[in-house]
Amino acid sequence: MAIDAARLGEVQETLLIPLYGRAVETGKSRPILRDPKAVEMVRAIDYDFGRFDGGRSLFGTVLRTSIIDAWVLDFLERHPDGTVVEIGAGLNTRFERVDNGRLHWVDLDLPDAMALRSEFFAESDRRRMLAASVLDDSWIEPVKTLPGPYFFISEGVLVYLEEAQVRRALTLIAENFRGADLAMDTTGRWMIDHQDNHDALGKVSARMRWACDDPAEVEGWAPGWRLLASGDLSRLPARMRDRMPLPQRIGLRAASLIFRQRFGHYRLNHYRA
């Protein structure tokens, strides 16, 4: 029986875009990411995924996911027993890709998205699934019961909030998890203004709200964050470059130069509280 995706709210519906991107990538002869679970979920969910076919952003979501995977793996090399918190987990399969057999993991998402996630995933002794908004404080104490240090991930999540809400979310993290790392994407004003023409977002109702032209501005927000790294999707971590074919790397870099405006207004950032 197909699982109906109609239960998802407008913003939560966007989780289906990166899911489909990973499924499409898995079907390629030389994928940069293999995710058979994504293929299984796409087949099981009643949704018109074909609306996203042909768009460059599907591969963009795979790049984004792979870059953050690399950052998480770097973190786990230093802190193999640490805790990773995926804000707006959606139907991501990052735990399956990076699990070292020792880490602790928290999937955090709104109740409707978590209900859909529960159709495919289950908790374990090292993995918890929390149905809550990152803007509430109900998730903080359950996460604090897990060992630090902590690595928080916001992938395609906070960009849909107003700036005041983003500030609150980052304040909750920084005040309760000093020294925590955060991987977060930011979107510039140009992309906000042109998102109706986006090859994927133009097909859904949700709209990005928070415009951030300079990721370093977050450093000035109380109680304070430090920007460790920031780059567009062509800036690949070393462990990712090693497994991407040279022609693909060259093509990606060329695209970043040709479509400089689009690339430059979307960035992946690594912060520390």
Side-chain angles (χ1 to χ4, degrees):
M1 181 182 295
I3 297 171
D4 189 3
R7 69 181 80 172
L8 295 173
E10 285 187 357
V11 173
Q12 294 87 300
E13 181 187 5
T14 62
L15 67 85
L16 300 171
I17 300 172
L19 170 67
Y20 189 52
R22 297 195 311 276
V24 170
E25 184 69 17
T26 300
K28 295 179 180 178
S29 59
R30 297 188 66 183
I32 64 170
L33 176 153
R34 293 191 62 82
D35 192 345
K37 183 73 172 180
V39 176
E40 171 194 329
M41 289 188 284
V42 165
R43 290 172 178 168
I45 295 172
D46 183 13
Y47 185 79
D48 178 20
F49 288 99
R51 70 180 69 183
F52 305 126
D53 283 338
R56 293 190 185 94
S57 62
L58 282 183
F59 184 61
T61 64
V62 174
L63 282 173
R64 179 182 70 188
T65 292
S66 299
I67 292 170
I68 295 177
D69 281 359
W71 288 352
V72 173
L73 288 168
D74 289 343
F75 169 80
L76 292 173
E77 284 186 353
R78 300 189 304 273
H79 311 290
D81 299 294
T83 296
V84 180
V85 181
E86 185 111 51
I87 301 168
L91 293 176
N92 209 331
T93 54
R94 182 167 283 118
F95 175 87
E96 285 73 17
R97 293 193 299 274
V98 305
D99 184 22
N100 62 1
R102 295 168 58 181
L103 65 83
H104 297 79
W105 197 275
V106 177
D107 291 316
L108 176 66
D109 213 329
L110 295 172
D112 57 346
M114 193 55 69
L116 178 60
R117 184 172 183 83
S118 297
E119 299 278 356
F120 301 101
F121 301 93
E123 292 187 317
S124 69
D125 58 341
R126 293 186 295 107
R127 185 183 203 172
R128 296 202 55 184
M129 297 167 62
L130 300 179
S133 168
V134 69
L135 301 177
D136 300 332
D137 57 11
S138 61
W139 58 269
I140 293 173
E141 289 306 318
V143 173
K144 281 185 174 181
T145 65
L146 302 173
Y150 302 89
F151 193 108
F152 288 81
I153 302 167
S154 168
E155 182 180 356
V157 178
L158 296 182
V159 292
Y160 293 99
L161 303 182
E162 301 291 345
E163 181 177 309
Q165 295 173 306
V166 179
R167 286 175 177 262
R168 170 166 172 76
L170 297 192
T171 297
L172 285 174
I173 296 171
E175 288 183 342
N176 289 280
F177 303 93
R178 292 287 183 180
D181 284 42
L182 167 69
M184 176 178 71
D185 52 345
T186 52
T187 303
R189 169 56 60 187
W190 185 89
M191 283 199 69
I192 298 290
D193 292 342
H194 292 82
Q195 62 184 314
D196 288 350
N197 299 320
H198 190 272
D199 58 53
L201 289 179
K203 309 294 197 312
V204 297
S205 300
R207 288 294 175 265
M208 297 182 289
R209 303 296 180 188
W210 175 42
C212 178
D213 287 313
D214 181 8
E217 73 182 40
V218 174
E219 292 185 320
W221 295 2
W225 288 89
R226 182 160 56 97
L227 181 62
L228 303 180
S230 179
D232 63 35
L233 293 178
S234 69
R235 303 297 178 89
L236 305 179
R239 67 168 69 236
M240 188 178 168
R241 287 196 303 270
D242 293 342
R243 70 173 190 270
M244 181 179 284
L246 180 60
Q248 199 169 36
R249 296 203 307 269
I250 294 174
L252 178 61
R253 188 59 182 159
S256 73
L257 296 174
I258 296 170
F259 303 103
R260 184 176 303 174
Q261 190 173 41
R262 182 174 299 177
F263 267 75
H265 285 275
Y266 182 80
R267 303 183 73 83
L268 285 180
N269 313 287
H270 184 185
Y271 297 91
R272 182 163 295 149

